[in-house]
Amino acid sequence: MRLSLNVKYILSVLALGVCCFLCISTCSSHLMMQNAVTARASALYQEGLYMSDQYVGNYFEEPESRKALSSVQSLLSSLDVYLDASIWLISRDGELILDSQSSGILEEPMEIPDFNSVLPGGKYYMIGDFFGMFSDKTLSVLIPVSHNYHVRGYIAIHTPMTVVVQEKEGYLLSFYVTQILLMLLILLFALAVWLIVCLPIRRIWKGSGEYALGNFTALIRMNREDELGFIADTMDFMAESLKDYDEDQRKLISNISHDFRSPLTSIKGYIEAMLDGTIPFDMQEKYLNIVLRETERLTKLTSGLLTLNSMDPKQNRLCKSRFDINTVIKNTAATFEGTCTTRRISIELLFTDWESYVYADMGKIQQVLYNLIDNAIKFSQPDSVITIETTIKYEKIFVSVRDTGAGIPKDSLKKIWERFYKTDVSRGRDKSGTGLGLAIVKEIIQLHDENINVISTEGVGTEFIFSLSRAEEAETAE
């Protein structure tokens, strides 16, 4: 049978309360009974010693004196009422001489069968029938009576166990009342724990169930500054991240579909036109070149997606080494010489030092530079200048790629890092672009635990700045 956490908690508290109550009550009843017997026996023993020293000892000076016997009988009767107990005077041979509850002096002493002055266990009291003299359980205390340093007889004080039980029950009643009050406090504490712990856990459980069903809008929102509040806030953050991821995934699929569908449609259309003769044979070379360019664009898209997919910090391993970033910048810029000459764009290099050594993955940093320079050329006007600069600050080397192109709209600055995003609504003025370049750049820089920023003003230009660790610092850390 499946039980909820609330039911289990309530049953556990009730079971604990009942077990504690029974255990404590049983132990307390037993301990209180022992304490009541010991206290009652001790009190009776003290009274018996007092009687032996002050009164009963005189009887053995003249044991045959009826006057002395009558005096002791009167004394024992008075003490009987005071102690609520039966008092016997027993001879050394085990004969009952006087009984406080007798109306007069016994004519003949009564022999107590199997009397033994040494009680069971060597104690001064016993619980039972006192050698068969009582039918009910009785607490009997035996006190020796000495005269001239010799034991002459014994005083036996008997009280029914029902009296002792009543005393114990009186103490136990107060204990039960205290225990019930304590149980009420425990129940209040359990209720507080349920409100503070179990109820929030139930909310977290319901929230996790909604998240499992894909409903990321049902946030838990628990305003607490403890562990449960931290768990709830973490789960809410996870839900919002999953919601954003879900939206990004749908957007990514939509963008991929768009960027793949356009070239595929063009390729299909041109090939069908050539096959059915719509495009004459002498014009086919022109359209085959278009098909080739579209195929190259699909290849770039696929390659970019594979590159982004491999950018997993847990799986992708950087091959870091010490190299001169200035040399890499020069070599990368040189690959664009033909494009820059055609478009009448010049690249200016500004280096703080002749050599600036960094500790990074040279191949991936070269890819970052290639994408940033390629991006700057695409959006620069003819007869413009692209500036690449390196500066050193606080054990870091900052690389800047700055153009004087059209710039990026302010509302697009945060979106340029998204996959397939292009600033132009028509999917970008450069139809050969994939919208993956800047996403790849950011992934590579983040793999190096570095930062990249962009500063752009429409109509003025755009500047990308990223940081790298200087080789000296990295080698020391290693």
Side-chain angles (χ1 to χ4, degrees):
M1 182 175 60
R2 180 181 177 275
L3 298 176
S4 65
L5 181 62
N6 287 336
V7 175
K8 289 179 180 179
Y9 177 74
I10 293 172
L11 292 178
S12 299
V13 171
L14 292 177
L16 178 64
V18 171
C19 291
C20 290
F21 185 82
L22 292 177
C23 181
I24 295 175
S25 299
T26 303
C27 294
S28 300
S29 178
H30 179 71
L31 293 174
M32 285 187 176
M33 187 64 187
Q34 286 185 333
N35 182 67
V37 168
T38 303
R40 181 71 170 171
S42 178
L44 294 178
Y45 188 81
Q46 294 299 325
E47 292 293 340
L49 286 178
Y50 182 77
M51 286 188 287
S52 172
D53 293 339
Q54 298 297 324
Y55 305 107
V56 180
N58 297 331
Y59 161 73
F60 289 102
E61 292 182 0
E62 41 182 344
E64 302 300 330
S65 172
R66 197 166 184 83
K67 180 180 178 182
L69 193 62
S70 177
S71 175
V72 173
Q73 171 70 29
S74 176
L75 174 66
L76 295 183
S77 297
S78 301
L79 291 174
D80 179 298
V81 177
Y82 171 71
L83 297 176
D84 191 17
S86 174
I87 306 173
W88 290 359
L89 182 60
I90 303 173
S91 69
R92 191 170 56 182
D93 298 328
E95 293 180 341
L96 178 59
I97 301 173
L98 291 176
D99 183 357
S100 63
Q101 294 186 348
S102 176
S103 57
I105 302 173
L106 297 176
E107 296 296 332
E108 293 291 335
M110 181 185 300
E111 183 178 355
I112 300 175
D114 302 323
F115 175 78
N116 190 347
S117 61
V118 180
L119 299 181
K123 298 180 179 180
Y124 60 88
Y125 68 89
M126 65 177 292
I127 298 175
D129 57 4
F130 196 72
F131 306 106
M133 299 299 291
F134 299 99
S135 57
D136 298 326
K137 289 184 69 174
T138 305
L139 172 63
S140 302
V141 179
L142 191 65
I143 304 101
V145 178
S146 301
H147 183 68
N148 293 331
Y149 305 103
H150 295 285
V151 176
R152 303 297 185 178
Y154 303 94
I155 295 175
I157 306 176
H158 311 286
T159 183
M161 283 299 297
T162 53
V163 175
V164 180
V165 171
Q166 287 178 358
E167 291 181 0
K168 184 262 295 185
E169 293 295 337
Y171 296 129
L172 200 58
L173 179 62
S174 301
F175 176 79
Y176 283 152
V177 172
T178 304
Q179 191 175 15
I180 289 172
L181 293 175
L182 182 61
M183 291 299 297
L184 290 176
L185 290 176
I186 292 175
L187 289 176
L188 291 175
F189 175 77
L191 178 61
V193 171
W194 182 79
L195 292 173
I196 295 173
V197 179
C198 293
L199 196 59
I201 290 178
R202 186 175 179 83
R203 287 182 58 187
I204 294 174
W205 169 68
K206 287 184 176 180
S208 63
E210 293 292 332
Y211 300 159
L213 294 174
N215 182 14
F216 302 122
T217 60
L219 300 179
I220 301 172
R221 297 197 185 282
M222 192 179 297
N223 296 322
R224 295 173 54 148
E225 296 183 357
D226 54 11
E227 288 80 358
L228 289 176
F230 175 76
I231 292 174
D233 292 342
T234 303
M235 292 186 67
D236 286 346
F237 177 77
M238 177 191 70
E240 291 176 346
S241 299
L242 288 173
K243 179 182 176 183
D244 294 339
Y245 177 78
D246 195 42
E247 293 177 355
D248 291 342
Q249 189 179 40
R250 285 196 294 268
K251 188 186 298 182
L252 176 63
I253 293 173
S254 175
N255 292 339
I256 291 175
S257 300
H258 182 279
D259 280 356
F260 271 82
R261 185 169 57 246
S262 297
L264 287 173
T265 301
S266 298
I267 294 171
K268 181 176 179 292
Y270 290 134
I271 291 177
E272 287 178 346
M274 284 185 282
L275 289 175
D276 62 17
T278 304
I279 298 176
F281 181 78
D282 57 343
M283 296 288 293
Q284 286 184 5
E285 184 178 356
K286 172 185 175 182
Y287 291 100
L288 282 174
N289 287 327
I290 296 175
V291 170
L292 179 62
R293 286 196 298 273
E294 293 296 315
T295 306
E296 290 175 349
R297 184 182 173 197
L298 288 174
T299 302
K300 289 177 65 178
L301 276 170
T302 306
S303 177
L305 286 171
L306 290 174
T307 301
L308 283 172
N309 189 56
S310 67
M311 296 292 177
D312 186 351
K314 296 181 180 179
Q315 297 177 358
N316 195 66
R317 296 292 182 265
L318 296 175
C319 185
K320 290 186 176 182
S321 62
R322 181 176 181 271
F323 62 92
D324 179 18
I325 188 65
N326 294 346
T327 302
V328 174
I329 292 172
K330 292 174 187 176
N331 294 336
T332 306
T335 61
F336 292 93
E337 184 177 352
T339 305
C340 291
T341 301
T342 303
R343 298 191 57 183
R344 303 193 308 277
I345 296 174
S346 60
I347 297 179
E348 182 181 0
L349 304 180
L350 300 176
F351 301 144
T352 303
D353 294 330
W354 183 254
E355 293 179 337
S356 298
Y357 284 93
V358 297
Y359 187 73
D361 188 319
M362 188 171 68
K364 286 186 168 51
I365 296 303
Q366 192 171 15
Q367 187 177 4
V368 168
L369 291 168
Y370 185 92
N371 287 347
L372 292 178
I373 297 172
D374 182 60
N375 213 49
I377 292 173
K378 288 177 185 177
F379 294 95
S380 293
Q381 301 295 333
D383 300 317
S384 61
V385 179
I386 296 174
T387 304
I388 305 175
E389 182 179 0
T390 60
T391 55
I392 300 175
K393 288 183 180 179
Y394 310 112
E395 303 303 326
K396 295 282 186 181
I397 293 180
F398 293 87
V399 181
S400 166
V401 179
R402 182 171 63 252
D403 64 61
T404 55
I408 303 172
K410 187 176 181 180
D411 57 352
S412 298
L413 283 176
K414 293 183 179 180
K415 300 178 181 179
I416 60 173
W417 308 110
E418 298 177 5
R419 301 178 182 187
F420 293 100
Y421 182 79
K422 297 180 181 180
T423 55
D424 189 70
V425 179
S426 64
R427 307 294 296 164
R429 76 176 74 170
D430 180 22
K431 300 300 182 181
S432 64
T434 63
L436 296 175
L438 291 179
I440 293 173
V441 166
K442 187 169 185 180
E443 290 287 347
I444 291 175
I445 296 301
Q446 288 181 340
L447 278 176
H448 284 79
D449 293 325
E450 299 293 342
N451 297 309
I452 183 168
N453 296 310
V454 58
I455 303 171
S456 183
T457 304
E458 286 189 84
V460 177
T462 304
E463 180 181 12
F464 288 91
I465 307 170
F466 65 90
S467 61
L468 292 173
S469 298
R470 294 182 66 183
E472 293 79 6
E473 179 186 5
E475 288 175 350
T476 303
E478 289 293 320

